[in-house]
Amino acid sequence: MDPVTLGILLYLFLTASAVLLLTLLSANARARRNDTAPPTGTTNTVCVVALISSFFVSPAGVVLGHLGMSQVNRSNEKGWGLALTGAIIGYIGLMAWVSAGIVLLVVLAFAAF
C-alpha cells in the first residue's frame, strides 16, 4: 500500500472516530443538562468565538467550545449548539493537521530510501 493511500485511510479513520466520540459525549452531556427552564434571550459570546475560531485555529476552537458549553450549562444562556459545533470542527481540524503530519513523515521516510 502506498504512503498516500495509507495517510488517507488513517485520516478517515481518525476523523470518523473523533466524530463518533464527540457525538456520544454530547448526547450524554445533553441528557445530564437541566432543561427545565428555557434559555434566556442572550447568546454566550464564548460560544460564538469558539465557532469562528475553530475555522482558523483548531485548538482555540476546541478549548473555547468546551468552555462555552460549560458556561451555557451553568448560566442557561443560548449557544450550546454553537459551542459544540466549534469543538467538533476544531477536533476535525486537529485530526487533519496530525494526519497531514503523519503522511508527511511517511512520505519523507519512503523518499529517504
Side-chain angles (χ1 to χ4, degrees), residues 22 50-51 53-56 58 61-62 82-95:
L22 286 171
L51 180 61
S53 66
S54 66
F55 289 106
F56 304 107
S58 297
V62 170
L82 294 173
L84 178 64
T85 305
I88 289 173
I89 292 171
Y91 277 121
I92 291 173
L94 282 175
M95 292 290 183

Side-chain angles (χ1 to χ4, degrees), residues 16-105:
S17 300
V19 169
L20 178 64
L21 179 65
L22 286 171
T23 303
L24 293 173
L25 291 175
S26 66
N28 189 21
R30 284 300 269 183
R32 288 184 290 141
R33 184 172 172 217
N34 183 8
D35 283 332
T36 56
T40 59
T42 59
T43 302
N44 191 308
T45 308
V46 175
C47 298
V48 176
V49 173
L51 180 61
I52 294 170
S53 66
S54 66
F55 289 106
F56 304 107
V57 184
S58 297
V62 170
V63 171
L64 291 173
H66 285 286
L67 183 64
M69 284 187 284
S70 174
Q71 287 181 1
V72 166
N73 283 337
R74 281 186 273 131
S75 66
N76 203 24
E77 292 177 308
K78 292 180 183 177
W80 196 85
L82 294 173
L84 178 64
T85 305
I88 289 173
I89 292 171
Y91 277 121
I92 291 173
L94 282 175
M95 292 290 183
W97 280 106
V98 168
S99 299
I102 292 171
V103 168
L104 180 65
L105 289 175

Side-chain angles (χ1 to χ4, degrees), residues 1-14 99-100 102-104 106-107 110:
M1 185 179 295
D2 64 279
V4 175
T5 305
L6 182 66
I8 291 171
L9 289 175
L10 180 65
Y11 169 73
L12 292 174
F13 173 75
L14 291 175
S99 299
I102 292 171
V103 168
L104 180 65
V106 169
V107 169
F110 279 105

